[in-house]
Amino acid sequence: MSAEKTPTRRLRSQDWFDNPDHIDMTALYLERFMNYGVTPEELRSGKPIIGIAQSGSDLTPCNRVHVELVKRVRDGIRDAGGIPIEFPTHPMFENCKRPTAALDRNLAYLSLVEVLYGYPLDGVVLTTGCDKTTPSALMAASTVDIPAIVLSGGPMLDGWHEGDLAGSGTVIWRMRRKFAAGEIDREEFLQAALDSAPSVGHCNTMGTASTMNALAEALGMSLTGCGAIPAPYRERGQMAYRTGKRAVEIVWEDLKPSDILDRAAFLNAIRVNSAIGGSTNAQPHLAAMAKHAGVELHPDDWQVHGFDIPLLANVQPAGKYLGERYHRAGGTPAIMWELLQAGKLDGNCRTVTGKSMAENLVGREATDREVIFPFDQPLRDKAGFLVLKGNLFDFAIMKTSVISEAFRGRYLQEPGREGIFEGKAVVFDGSEDYHHRINDPALNIDEDTILVIRGAGPLGWPGSAEVVNMQPPDHLLKRGIMSLPTIGDGRQSGTADSPSILNASPESAAGGGLAWLRTGDIIRIDLNEGRCDMLVEPEEIERRRADGIPPVPADATPWQRIYRKSVTQLSDGAVLEGAADFRQIATKSPPRHNH
């Protein structure tokens, strides 16, 4: 697109910088941009002003590549005839933020809504990477509804430890089992973790970061192939440049999130998540994004539309390889190509490229069949999330693509009771309780025990923590039992290889069934019927209610108090009550003048 393009309509930013009815306000808005060398001719030219939502910083190493990468975005914006304005977003670093980065997703959403609405921006490039940066950005883009496009920072290069692939996150869960079993010492544990992070970028496994950036692509909100390019690759800079150019074009086309994010797009994302072996955190994040896009997404959609989809990506934690080889094999477009050929993807969906999804996927067949399997010869059949309910909760999910043969053989293949198992519950109130007592011999934890953690949801933690993938006690690990059935009202890392039952809603702190469970109760899990129940008489459950809800930590910050007073459950996306009432706010009257 030529930089000399003649404006065909009045842009949003002109209400700030070229408003003949308020020359005094125009002067006020213009003058301070002059102090670092911007010219009034630029801002008054009628060229699109494109915001760059900068998520990279020293506090967010997974996204830090954007500190340099946005230079190419700026080049693309300029070459397409736009004006770039970069601004910071609230930092969210999954590995380091305590008590959990999930607490910050809604805070980052609120902040970005105010920036996109209240400043003279005609469009925005949303820089993403680490887990929560993608959903918070897309939630805000839907609320404001100015033209928006996602640019992922990309995964790290593949990690290697002593000749084996070391996937970020996944290697830690595996090494903590080895450490507890006495197979490695502390230094070996640390070294394996350090070896998994060899370069700039986010997790190189199919954890939540890679999953959410793949789903941004599946939703049609990023350029084709954007999500999986490793952060250090030259193609990442080229993608940044093209994204910057496209950001200007979608302003002229007035192509907004509301034109792209419909129910069909979200169902495509659910199917893609199954095919890539995506993170269980995709469930609350997609639910939140759909809520803010005004799309009705039902909790059961994960099973109705996603469960029968096969696993096609041979990527850790559900598979063998890591992000580099996944990208070279064709990445998420190759996965979507398989689904499209099988009639499992809606190719008519609009996308930010300006073309349909089917048009984007022409010629995108995989080039490495060790990494991306054909639809009719998958790595695993029926690899989506099982949706469960019962007297312990109204909703929870179980990731089936990570069920190991050992786990399946121990719990799911009893003759005549396939897919059904029962076990004694051992209940922990928060992760501190778990770490303190997991090796207590008095608990008598054996291979028929079901580990349960509560107080880990949006209200209880607060924010909902990745603590459900609990490992067995040391004495079982030393016997080679690497995994027990686990249930919780929190989440687990997308890099975890545990088939936990998680995201339970309502949570214990909201009076869900887990609040009335006691150690020693028998739990019956029936995967065939999608049921999870404590075998306790209703009268006894009612009697236990008199004991009250198990206590949770007090609010530690003002935001924690605000969050707890307004957050919904994980089944609903853990969004802020009432926030979804605000939609397409930039398409209505402009914000009031400030003087």
Side-chain angles (χ1 to χ4, degrees):
M1 180 171 289
S2 170
E4 302 303 317
K5 180 177 176 67
T6 302
T8 56
R9 62 186 174 84
R10 187 169 173 81
L11 298 177
R12 185 172 183 266
S13 59
Q14 290 178 278
D15 196 61
W16 276 260
F17 295 137
D18 188 23
N19 191 333
D21 297 327
H22 290 281
I23 189 62
D24 54 341
M25 297 310 303
T26 295
L28 184 68
Y29 300 141
L30 277 171
E31 62 94 3
R32 205 52 56 93
F33 284 94
M34 303 302 102
N35 73 4
Y36 66 96
V38 177
T39 66
E41 294 83 41
E42 290 173 276
L43 298 181
R44 304 193 73 192
S45 65
K47 295 178 179 179
I49 295 178
I50 308 298
I52 303 173
Q54 174 59 273
S55 63
S57 71
D58 290 351
L59 267 183
T60 313
C62 296
N63 294 37
R64 198 177 185 282
V65 64
H66 286 301
V67 173
E68 291 296 319
L69 195 60
V70 297
K71 294 176 182 177
R72 293 298 290 145
V73 177
R74 298 175 78 99
D75 291 342
I77 291 170
R78 283 287 182 182
D79 285 355
I83 299 168
I85 292 185
E86 183 181 342
F87 61 89
T89 61
H90 183 83
M92 288 181 288
F93 177 29
E94 191 65 33
N95 295 31
C96 212
K97 177 58 166 52
R98 295 161 65 172
T100 171
L103 190 65
D104 286 22
R105 189 202 64 185
N106 292 346
L107 184 58
Y109 153 77
L110 288 174
S111 173
L112 187 53
V113 165
E114 292 301 318
V115 173
L116 298 183
Y117 176 66
Y119 283 91
L121 303 175
D122 300 306
V124 64
V125 175
L126 305 166
T127 67
T128 66
C130 194
D131 302 12
K132 312 297 186 295
T133 58
T134 306
S136 66
L138 284 172
M139 289 157 62
S142 284
T143 295
V144 181
D145 206 34
I146 61 174
I149 187 169
V150 168
L151 174 66
S152 165
M156 295 181 286
L157 300 177
D158 291 357
W160 293 88
H161 176 69
E162 296 182 349
D164 294 324
L165 283 169
S168 47
T170 300
V171 73
I172 293 177
W173 316 131
R174 292 175 180 171
M175 290 299 153
R176 77 176 184 180
R177 294 193 288 261
K178 287 189 174 186
F179 177 71
E183 298 175 17
I184 59 173
D185 62 24
R186 293 176 185 273
E187 288 304 313
E188 289 172 305
F189 190 153
L190 289 174
Q191 192 58 52
L194 300 179
D195 288 347
S196 72
S199 75
V200 295
H202 59 66
C203 288
N204 48 29
T205 46
M206 192 57 73
T208 307
S210 289
T211 296
M212 294 315 301
N213 287 290
L215 298 190
E217 199 170 324
L219 287 167
M221 288 300 297
S222 62
L223 297 183
T224 309
C226 176
I229 302 169
Y233 276 28
R234 67 182 182 187
E235 291 95 332
R236 178 54 64 191
Q238 293 167 345
M239 180 61 71
Y241 176 77
R242 292 172 183 138
T243 298
K245 290 191 70 175
R246 185 61 191 152
V248 177
E249 295 168 2
I250 61 175
V251 170
W252 290 123
E253 296 166 15
D254 199 25
L255 181 61
K256 303 180 296 296
S258 60
D259 300 315
I260 296 169
L261 296 175
D262 58 12
R263 179 166 164 80
F266 280 96
L267 295 183
N268 276 349
I270 286 176
R271 297 181 186 109
V272 169
N273 188 73
S274 298
I276 63 177
S279 167
T280 49
N281 290 312
Q283 178 267 313
H285 292 328
L286 272 185
M289 290 189 289
K291 195 94 172 174
H292 288 288
V295 172
E296 192 152 357
L297 202 63
H298 308 287
D300 286 344
D301 283 333
W302 289 92
Q303 182 145 346
V304 173
H305 297 280
F307 179 68
D308 288 338
I309 299 297
L311 177 64
L312 305 181
N314 189 11
V315 179
Q316 295 181 24
K320 177 180 179 181
Y321 297 104
L322 295 174
E324 254 190 290
R325 191 158 172 188
Y326 175 66
H327 164 64
R328 293 201 302 267
T332 305
I335 296 287
M336 291 194 287
W337 185 91
E338 291 289 340
L339 295 176
L340 184 66
Q341 306 312 305
K344 299 296 184 181
L345 195 80
D346 190 333
N348 294 317
C349 288
R350 295 184 71 180
T351 74
V352 78
T353 69
K355 301 176 182 177
S356 71
M357 184 63 76
E359 290 174 305
N360 291 341
L361 299 178
V362 172
R364 290 287 185 161
E365 185 175 1
T367 58
D368 183 346
R369 288 304 186 181
E370 285 188 79
V371 182
I372 297 177
F373 285 47
F375 186 91
D376 57 359
Q377 297 176 331
L379 192 61
R380 187 190 298 265
D381 286 319
K382 296 185 176 181
F385 298 161
L386 272 172
V387 175
L388 298 103
K389 58 191 67 175
N391 64 8
L392 286 172
F393 40 74
D394 296 335
F395 169 87
I397 58 172
M398 181 182 191
K399 183 176 178 178
T400 61
S401 62
V402 292
I403 296 176
S404 68
E405 288 306 311
F407 187 96
R408 188 179 301 278
R410 183 174 294 115
Y411 301 111
L412 301 176
Q413 292 182 337
E414 181 182 344
R417 287 168 56 87
E418 291 84 356
I420 301 172
F421 62 98
E422 295 180 2
K424 177 193 73 173
V426 171
V427 183
F428 300 101
D429 287 300
S431 66
E432 296 87 354
D433 185 31
Y434 160 76
H435 288 295
H436 179 65
R437 294 196 299 133
I438 184 60
N439 287 311
D440 185 348
L443 293 177
N444 294 316
I445 297 174
D446 59 21
E447 53 264 56
D448 294 321
T449 298
I450 299 175
L451 304 179
V452 180
I453 191 167
R454 64 190 179 193
L459 292 173
W461 194 259
S464 78
E466 296 183 337
V467 294
V468 182
N469 52 316
M470 298 169 283
Q471 70 182 22
D474 294 355
H475 75 272
L476 290 183
L477 292 169
K478 290 173 182 176
R479 287 175 46 199
I481 297 173
M482 296 291 124
S483 183
L484 290 177
T486 57
I487 299 173
D489 54 11
R491 300 172 296 111
Q492 74 179 26
S493 170
T495 65
D497 55 0
S498 169
S500 306
I501 295 171
L502 36 69
N503 300 2
S505 306
E507 63 182 296
S508 170
L514 289 176
W516 324 121
L517 184 70
R518 301 292 183 263
T519 292
D521 290 344
I522 301 300
I523 295 176
R524 186 174 193 267
I525 299 170
D526 186 339
L527 300 185
N528 307 312
E529 297 295 326
R531 297 284 307 181
C532 184
D533 297 280
M534 52 178 161
L535 302 185
V536 177
E537 293 298 324
E539 296 80 9
E540 172 61 16
I541 295 174
E542 194 58 35
R543 188 197 66 76
R544 293 176 183 179
R545 289 178 181 272
D547 297 339
I549 292 172
V552 298
D555 300 324
T557 66
W559 170 240
Q560 288 187 18
R561 178 168 296 178
I562 295 167
Y563 179 92
R564 275 175 158 155
K565 285 182 177 179
S566 59
V567 73
T568 67
Q569 291 292 289
L570 287 172
S571 57
D572 190 54
V575 298
L576 297 176
E577 286 278 8
D581 295 344
F582 297 86
R583 292 194 53 244
Q584 302 179 21
I585 58 177
T587 64
K588 301 166 186 175
S589 58
R592 298 171 69 188
H593 291 289
N594 58 25
H595 282 75

